[in-house]
mmCIF file with all atom_site columns, all heavy atoms in Angstrom:
data_model
loop_
_atom_site.group_PDB
_atom_site.id
_atom_site.type_symbol
_atom_site.label_atom_id
_atom_site.label_alt_id
_atom_site.label_comp_id
_atom_site.label_asym_id
_atom_site.label_entity_id
_atom_site.label_seq_id
_atom_site.pdbx_PDB_ins_code
_atom_site.Cartn_x
_atom_site.Cartn_y
_atom_site.Cartn_z
_atom_site.occupancy
_atom_site.B_iso_or_equiv
_atom_site.pdbx_formal_charge
_atom_site.auth_seq_id
_atom_site.auth_comp_id
_atom_site.auth_asym_id
_atom_site.auth_atom_id
_atom_site.pdbx_PDB_model_num
ATOM 1  N N   . ASP A 1 54  ? -20.828 0.251   -22.640 1.00 0.00 ? 54  ASP A N   1
ATOM 2  C CA  . ASP A 1 54  ? -22.210 0.727   -22.536 1.00 0.00 ? 54  ASP A CA  1
ATOM 3  C C   . ASP A 1 54  ? -22.920 -0.122  -21.489 1.00 0.00 ? 54  ASP A C   1
ATOM 4  O O   . ASP A 1 54  ? -22.708 -1.332  -21.424 1.00 0.00 ? 54  ASP A O   1
ATOM 5  C CB  . ASP A 1 54  ? -22.908 0.587   -23.899 1.00 0.00 ? 54  ASP A CB  1
ATOM 6  C CG  . ASP A 1 54  ? -24.372 0.965   -23.848 1.00 0.00 ? 54  ASP A CG  1
ATOM 7  O OD1 . ASP A 1 54  ? -24.685 2.021   -23.267 1.00 0.00 ? 54  ASP A OD1 1
ATOM 8  O OD2 . ASP A 1 54  ? -25.207 0.208   -24.367 1.00 0.00 ? 54  ASP A OD2 1
ATOM 9  N N   . HIS A 1 70  ? -14.511 -14.315 -33.277 1.00 0.00 ? 70  HIS A N   1
ATOM 10 C CA  . HIS A 1 70  ? -13.076 -14.012 -33.383 1.00 0.00 ? 70  HIS A CA  1
ATOM 11 C C   . HIS A 1 70  ? -12.318 -14.679 -32.251 1.00 0.00 ? 70  HIS A C   1
ATOM 12 O O   . HIS A 1 70  ? -12.481 -14.321 -31.083 1.00 0.00 ? 70  HIS A O   1
ATOM 13 C CB  . HIS A 1 70  ? -12.857 -12.498 -33.343 1.00 0.00 ? 70  HIS A CB  1
ATOM 14 C CG  . HIS A 1 70  ? -13.559 -11.748 -34.427 1.00 0.00 ? 70  HIS A CG  1
ATOM 15 N ND1 . HIS A 1 70  ? -13.045 -11.606 -35.697 1.00 0.00 ? 70  HIS A ND1 1
ATOM 16 C CD2 . HIS A 1 70  ? -14.779 -11.125 -34.435 1.00 0.00 ? 70  HIS A CD2 1
ATOM 17 C CE1 . HIS A 1 70  ? -13.892 -10.910 -36.441 1.00 0.00 ? 70  HIS A CE1 1
ATOM 18 N NE2 . HIS A 1 70  ? -14.948 -10.610 -35.700 1.00 0.00 ? 70  HIS A NE2 1
ATOM 19 N N   . GLY A 1 83  ? -27.116 -4.504  -8.321  1.00 0.00 ? 83  GLY A N   1
ATOM 20 C CA  . GLY A 1 83  ? -28.114 -4.277  -7.289  1.00 0.00 ? 83  GLY A CA  1
ATOM 21 C C   . GLY A 1 83  ? -29.524 -4.691  -7.674  1.00 0.00 ? 83  GLY A C   1
ATOM 22 O O   . GLY A 1 83  ? -30.464 -4.533  -6.878  1.00 0.00 ? 83  GLY A O   1
ATOM 23 N N   . LEU A 1 91  ? -28.246 -13.004 -15.067 1.00 0.00 ? 91  LEU A N   1
ATOM 24 C CA  . LEU A 1 91  ? -27.024 -13.793 -15.231 1.00 0.00 ? 91  LEU A CA  1
ATOM 25 C C   . LEU A 1 91  ? -27.315 -15.103 -15.961 1.00 0.00 ? 91  LEU A C   1
ATOM 26 O O   . LEU A 1 91  ? -26.488 -15.586 -16.753 1.00 0.00 ? 91  LEU A O   1
ATOM 27 C CB  . LEU A 1 91  ? -26.395 -14.088 -13.869 1.00 0.00 ? 91  LEU A CB  1
ATOM 28 C CG  . LEU A 1 91  ? -25.896 -12.880 -13.070 1.00 0.00 ? 91  LEU A CG  1
ATOM 29 C CD1 . LEU A 1 91  ? -25.407 -13.319 -11.699 1.00 0.00 ? 91  LEU A CD1 1
ATOM 30 C CD2 . LEU A 1 91  ? -24.782 -12.139 -13.810 1.00 0.00 ? 91  LEU A CD2 1
ATOM 31 N N   . LYS A 1 110 ? -21.091 6.947   -10.811 1.00 0.00 ? 110 LYS A N   1
ATOM 32 C CA  . LYS A 1 110 ? -22.106 6.733   -9.787  1.00 0.00 ? 110 LYS A CA  1
ATOM 33 C C   . LYS A 1 110 ? -21.739 7.485   -8.505  1.00 0.00 ? 110 LYS A C   1
ATOM 34 O O   . LYS A 1 110 ? -20.579 7.852   -8.303  1.00 0.00 ? 110 LYS A O   1
ATOM 35 C CB  . LYS A 1 110 ? -22.226 5.239   -9.470  1.00 0.00 ? 110 LYS A CB  1
ATOM 36 C CG  . LYS A 1 110 ? -22.446 4.329   -10.673 1.00 0.00 ? 110 LYS A CG  1
ATOM 37 C CD  . LYS A 1 110 ? -23.837 4.448   -11.230 1.00 0.00 ? 110 LYS A CD  1
ATOM 38 C CE  . LYS A 1 110 ? -24.214 3.298   -12.149 1.00 0.00 ? 110 LYS A CE  1
ATOM 39 N NZ  . LYS A 1 110 ? -23.435 3.178   -13.379 1.00 0.00 ? 110 LYS A NZ  1
ATOM 40 N N   . ARG A 1 117 ? -24.028 -0.178  -1.080  1.00 0.00 ? 117 ARG A N   1
ATOM 41 C CA  . ARG A 1 117 ? -25.404 -0.611  -0.819  1.00 0.00 ? 117 ARG A CA  1
ATOM 42 C C   . ARG A 1 117 ? -25.457 -2.130  -0.617  1.00 0.00 ? 117 ARG A C   1
ATOM 43 O O   . ARG A 1 117 ? -24.733 -2.873  -1.274  1.00 0.00 ? 117 ARG A O   1
ATOM 44 C CB  . ARG A 1 117 ? -26.314 -0.231  -1.988  1.00 0.00 ? 117 ARG A CB  1
ATOM 45 C CG  . ARG A 1 117 ? -26.438 1.265   -2.234  1.00 0.00 ? 117 ARG A CG  1
ATOM 46 C CD  . ARG A 1 117 ? -27.176 1.540   -3.535  1.00 0.00 ? 117 ARG A CD  1
ATOM 47 N NE  . ARG A 1 117 ? -26.492 0.915   -4.650  1.00 0.00 ? 117 ARG A NE  1
ATOM 48 C CZ  . ARG A 1 117 ? -27.101 0.232   -5.616  1.00 0.00 ? 117 ARG A CZ  1
ATOM 49 N NH1 . ARG A 1 117 ? -28.410 0.056   -5.587  1.00 0.00 ? 117 ARG A NH1 1
ATOM 50 N NH2 . ARG A 1 117 ? -26.400 -0.295  -6.602  1.00 0.00 ? 117 ARG A NH2 1
ATOM 51 N N   . ILE A 1 163 ? -5.531  1.935   -13.024 1.00 0.00 ? 163 ILE A N   1
ATOM 52 C CA  . ILE A 1 163 ? -4.845  2.317   -11.783 1.00 0.00 ? 163 ILE A CA  1
ATOM 53 C C   . ILE A 1 163 ? -5.649  3.337   -10.961 1.00 0.00 ? 163 ILE A C   1
ATOM 54 O O   . ILE A 1 163 ? -5.100  4.166   -10.253 1.00 0.00 ? 163 ILE A O   1
ATOM 55 C CB  . ILE A 1 163 ? -3.380  2.773   -12.009 1.00 0.00 ? 163 ILE A CB  1
ATOM 56 C CG1 . ILE A 1 163 ? -3.284  4.083   -12.794 1.00 0.00 ? 163 ILE A CG1 1
ATOM 57 C CG2 . ILE A 1 163 ? -2.576  1.686   -12.717 1.00 0.00 ? 163 ILE A CG2 1
ATOM 58 C CD1 . ILE A 1 163 ? -1.857  4.683   -12.822 1.00 0.00 ? 163 ILE A CD1 1
ATOM 59 N N   . MET A 1 227 ? -1.585  -6.132  -14.788 1.00 0.00 ? 227 MET A N   1
ATOM 60 C CA  . MET A 1 227 ? -1.838  -6.599  -16.159 1.00 0.00 ? 227 MET A CA  1
ATOM 61 C C   . MET A 1 227 ? -1.900  -5.417  -17.119 1.00 0.00 ? 227 MET A C   1
ATOM 62 O O   . MET A 1 227 ? -2.545  -4.404  -16.841 1.00 0.00 ? 227 MET A O   1
ATOM 63 C CB  . MET A 1 227 ? -3.108  -7.444  -16.229 1.00 0.00 ? 227 MET A CB  1
ATOM 64 C CG  . MET A 1 227 ? -4.342  -6.850  -15.626 1.00 0.00 ? 227 MET A CG  1
ATOM 65 S SD  . MET A 1 227 ? -5.778  -8.007  -15.621 1.00 0.00 ? 227 MET A SD  1
ATOM 66 C CE  . MET A 1 227 ? -5.592  -8.814  -14.038 1.00 0.00 ? 227 MET A CE  1
ATOM 67 N N   . TYR A 1 241 ? -1.994  3.161   -30.116 1.00 0.00 ? 241 TYR A N   1
ATOM 68 C CA  . TYR A 1 241 ? -1.769  1.887   -29.424 1.00 0.00 ? 241 TYR A CA  1
ATOM 69 C C   . TYR A 1 241 ? -0.275  1.678   -29.157 1.00 0.00 ? 241 TYR A C   1
ATOM 70 O O   . TYR A 1 241 ? 0.137   1.295   -28.062 1.00 0.00 ? 241 TYR A O   1
ATOM 71 C CB  . TYR A 1 241 ? -2.315  0.742   -30.278 1.00 0.00 ? 241 TYR A CB  1
ATOM 72 C CG  . TYR A 1 241 ? -2.424  -0.583  -29.554 1.00 0.00 ? 241 TYR A CG  1
ATOM 73 C CD1 . TYR A 1 241 ? -3.665  -1.039  -29.120 1.00 0.00 ? 241 TYR A CD1 1
ATOM 74 C CD2 . TYR A 1 241 ? -1.301  -1.380  -29.311 1.00 0.00 ? 241 TYR A CD2 1
ATOM 75 C CE1 . TYR A 1 241 ? -3.783  -2.260  -28.456 1.00 0.00 ? 241 TYR A CE1 1
ATOM 76 C CE2 . TYR A 1 241 ? -1.403  -2.587  -28.651 1.00 0.00 ? 241 TYR A CE2 1
ATOM 77 C CZ  . TYR A 1 241 ? -2.651  -3.021  -28.221 1.00 0.00 ? 241 TYR A CZ  1
ATOM 78 O OH  . TYR A 1 241 ? -2.752  -4.225  -27.546 1.00 0.00 ? 241 TYR A OH  1
#
Side-chain angles (χ1 to χ4, degrees):
D54 176 47
H70 301 277
L91 296 175
K110 307 287 197 296
R117 297 171 302 136
I163 67 170
M227 51 185 91
Y241 193 103

